[in-house]
Amino acid sequence: MKNMTQTETNQRRRTVFFLIVAVMILAAVTAAGILTEGCAVETDFSRRNLSPSLQHLFGTDWMGRDMLARTLSGLSLSIRIGILTAAVSAAAALLLGTASVVLGRKADAVISWCIDLVMGIPHILLVMLISLACGRGFTGVVAGVALSHWPSLARVIRGELIQLRQAPYILVAERMGVSKLQNVRRHMLPHLLPQFLTGLILLFPHAILHESSVTFLGFGLSSEQPAIGVILSESMQYLTTGKWWLALFPGLALVLVVALFALLGERVRRLLDPSSAHE
Amino acid sequence: MILEAHNLTFYYRNRKKNPIIDSFELTIPPGERVGLKGPSGRGKTTLCRLLAGYERPKQGQVLLDGKPVGEYRGACPVQMVWQHPETVVDPLLKLKETMAEAGGIDKRLVEKLHIEREWMERYPSELSGGELQRFCLARALRPETKILLCDEITAMLDLVTQAQIWEFLLEESRRREMGMLVVSHSEALLEKVCTRIITLD
């Protein structure tokens, strides 16, 4: 009987349950944001500056736009930018990481130098510069965030692959007549997956935060788009007049989403990392 | 097949001044069992790695029937059994998958090495060192293997198992006319097993 209760609440199951719930929440926010995009830009001057009530849970702003709808579509936009960024970064990191291992010592030196170079520039500065160069707006932000976040993941993958390439079991498999490609698929990718997945998920919070901060500073999305950064920078002007709900709820929602992603990455790591997989 | 090492020289990166193996000569004809002894750190394992084609010599060459070992495609006829069996099996694969990759296992070997069927369903961390070492031997002794390099393969086993394994390897070497290089610190073992003993120093 005691065993039964133990298996029902073990760490692994709880973690899997948490993962499913977190992914569902994030998916729901993304979907809700897309659906409320029409509401979010709808202005109605008869309901300006209403504080939070049952009808408008997050209140309304000075143009009578519903803040809940704006927040949701802002978050949704952030998450979508995050996904795009993570995909681009992951692809770049995987490609460069593999190239620096496969192409030999010289190529590795060049790629490592590039990684160090990009890592050496503060992220936010790089995002601003690239975003400006690409003409701001959606493309600018995505390009900026995507092109500045790959180095950390690339470095992890490179290190992991260098270690794997010299692993005795891979060398032995090679002498047993296993082809290079099969070796990569059977022996390298499964070992790379935990690091890769965790790194990928942990890219999200960075991407989202940088997207909103660059927008907040005015180098990102244009002001008519319902982005979290836009909402926060506009509400700055109204904070002093006592309209606290304009910044509080969107800000809290952003923090929650970011924290959710960070927790997600941490839990996935614990689940996949051999040293903590049996906890 | 004859394994020959000519003028074999090897040094690790940036250690050109004192090569770990310097102008080494060795010939292992079929059926001969060469014993190799020497103090720790003199390059016994490195020599095995060179002979098995894991490492490329800086000078000289390792020839198998006149062709460099590194150029054999597919399963190499020179196989090495490592000192630490737990490092040479993929920890994420069940043993049967590792075995399938090496071309399946011979029934006779299973019997002679006392390998149990249920091991195949397990992961490497679920076997003991001795059990894994027997598995690795079975994997290395595929039909194509003509030369077997044994790098301290029984150092971690109890005496009874050691005796069993060496008896089996002796028989196998005679039956298949298989050349062997046996690395060990135990002089008694080398004298018992080998036809010739050389010293690295």
Side-chain angles (χ1 to χ4, degrees):
Chain A
M1 206 49 208
K2 204 179 169 194
N3 263 333
M4 279 281 287
T5 45
Q6 237 174 11
T7 46
E8 268 165 27
T9 56
N10 78 19
Q11 182 87 30
R12 200 173 189 89
R13 284 192 192 197
R14 258 181 296 158
T15 308
V16 170
F17 179 72
F18 172 83
L19 290 185
I20 294 171
V21 170
V23 169
M24 269 165 53
I25 292 176
L26 293 171
V29 169
T30 315
I34 295 172
L35 294 179
T36 53
E37 212 145 340
C39 284
V41 290
E42 193 178 285
T43 53
D44 180 355
F45 287 96
S46 66
R47 50 172 211 213
R48 295 174 56 192
N49 293 329
L50 294 177
S51 57
S53 64
L54 275 182
Q55 259 172 338
H56 303 284
L57 279 178
F58 284 14
T60 58
D61 65 3
W62 71 99
M63 284 165 86
R65 293 175 292 193
D66 183 50
M67 286 308 286
L68 177 61
R70 286 194 82 196
T71 305
L72 276 178
S73 45
L75 283 179
S76 165
L77 191 68
S78 291
I79 292 176
R80 276 176 286 157
I81 289 180
I83 290 176
L84 213 57
T85 303
V88 172
S89 302
L94 199 59
L95 206 71
L96 286 174
T98 318
S100 86
V101 172
V102 174
L103 298 182
R105 237 177 258 282
K106 291 228 170 79
D108 178 45
V110 172
I111 291 171
S112 295
W113 187 81
C114 287
I115 291 175
D116 287 341
L117 182 74
V118 177
M119 269 186 137
I121 307 170
H123 262 171
I124 192 73
L125 194 68
L126 198 61
V127 177
M128 269 159 47
L129 286 175
I130 299 176
S131 177
L132 266 180
C134 293
R136 302 191 197 181
F138 188 78
T139 36
V141 171
V142 170
V145 183
L147 291 178
S148 58
H149 282 66
W150 55 268
S152 51
L153 196 54
R155 174 175 277 184
V156 169
I157 288 176
R158 170 184 166 268
E160 202 68 14
L161 278 175
I162 283 180
Q163 209 184 354
L164 275 177
R165 195 181 46 167
Q166 287 300 322
Y169 55 84
I170 287 176
L171 297 177
V172 169
E174 239 166 61
R175 303 310 294 167
M176 289 279 170
V178 178
S179 73
K180 268 221 166 87
L181 214 66
Q182 262 185 325
N183 235 332
V184 168
R185 197 178 56 78
R186 209 178 291 153
H187 297 298
M188 291 195 180
L189 291 185
H191 286 265
L192 204 59
L193 196 67
Q195 309 283 350
F196 182 68
L197 261 186
T198 311
L200 184 63
I201 297 174
L202 289 178
L203 268 182
F204 273 78
H206 274 269
I208 292 175
L209 279 182
H210 279 141
E211 176 265 322
S212 20
S213 38
V214 84
T215 305
F216 176 82
L217 292 172
F219 297 99
L221 299 170
S222 53
S223 55
E224 75 273 5
Q225 269 167 310
I228 288 288
V230 173
I231 295 173
L232 290 180
S233 69
E234 281 177 353
S235 60
M236 286 293 279
Q237 304 157 20
Y238 295 87
L239 265 182
T240 45
T241 56
K243 300 187 181 55
W244 50 273
W245 60 89
L246 290 181
L248 180 70
F249 291 121
L252 268 183
L254 177 67
V255 170
L256 277 180
V257 164
V258 168
L260 212 51
F261 268 118
L263 274 176
L264 203 64
E266 182 58 28
R267 291 296 177 102
V268 166
R269 188 192 65 75
R270 262 207 257 164
L271 211 58
L272 295 174
D273 186 356
S275 63
S276 60
H278 296 295
E279 269 172 17
Chain B
M1 284 175 150
I2 302 182
L3 183 71
E4 295 164 289
H6 288 306
N7 187 29
L8 203 60
T9 301
F10 184 81
Y11 47 86
Y12 287 101
R13 252 160 72 83
N14 304 331
R15 292 278 171 80
K16 197 169 181 175
K17 289 238 170 75
N18 41 30
I20 184 147
I21 290 168
D22 201 358
S23 324
F24 185 79
E25 298 281 340
L26 177 70
T27 310
I28 306 179
E32 188 169 30
R33 296 180 296 278
V34 181
L36 178 67
K37 60 179 185 180
S40 304
R42 294 294 155 85
K44 297 190 294 294
T45 300
T46 307
L47 182 63
C48 285
R49 289 170 61 101
L50 280 167
L51 293 177
Y54 288 102
E55 211 82 61
R56 203 173 294 211
K58 301 286 179 187
Q59 270 168 46
Q61 46 192 353
V62 179
L63 300 174
L64 187 63
D65 273 359
K67 189 176 158 192
V69 268
E71 284 177 18
Y72 279 84
R73 290 288 153 252
C76 184
V78 181
Q79 286 294 337
M80 171 176 173
V81 183
W82 295 54
Q83 185 172 6
H84 304 290
E86 62 279 3
T87 60
V88 292
V89 280
D90 190 330
L92 295 185
L93 289 183
K94 280 187 182 166
L95 288 179
K96 66 171 175 196
E97 294 169 65
T98 305
M99 196 45 121
E101 179 180 270
I105 186 168
D106 193 348
K107 265 229 174 69
R108 206 175 49 82
L109 291 178
V110 172
E111 220 166 87
K112 291 277 181 183
L113 285 167
H114 306 284
I115 292 173
E116 280 164 40
R117 278 281 154 207
E118 58 181 284
W119 294 358
M120 294 298 160
E121 296 299 324
R122 299 197 200 159
Y123 289 98
S125 58
E126 295 167 340
L127 288 184
S128 76
E131 290 169 337
L132 267 183
Q133 190 62 289
R134 280 183 265 167
F135 171 88
C136 290
L137 264 173
R139 176 172 69 158
L141 284 171
R142 33 193 310 166
E144 304 92 315
T145 305
K146 298 287 186 266
I147 306 272
L148 190 69
L149 311 175
C150 307
D151 183 15
E152 291 266 19
I153 58 169
T154 53
M156 81 295 268
L157 301 178
D158 64 277
L159 286 174
V160 178
T161 321
Q162 280 196 25
Q164 278 177 351
I165 284 186
W166 283 112
E167 201 158 325
F168 162 74
L169 280 176
L170 270 180
E171 182 200 320
E172 195 71 9
S173 153
R174 291 203 186 101
R175 205 178 61 83
R176 294 162 63 150
E177 280 279 281
M178 180 175 72
M180 284 172 69
L181 181 74
V182 181
V183 178
S184 177
H185 285 291
S186 159
E187 214 142 318
L189 175 72
L190 292 182
E191 267 161 31
K192 183 93 182 140
V193 173
C194 302
T195 50
R196 169 160 77 97
I197 299 178
I198 52 174
T199 309
L200 256 191
D201 51 6

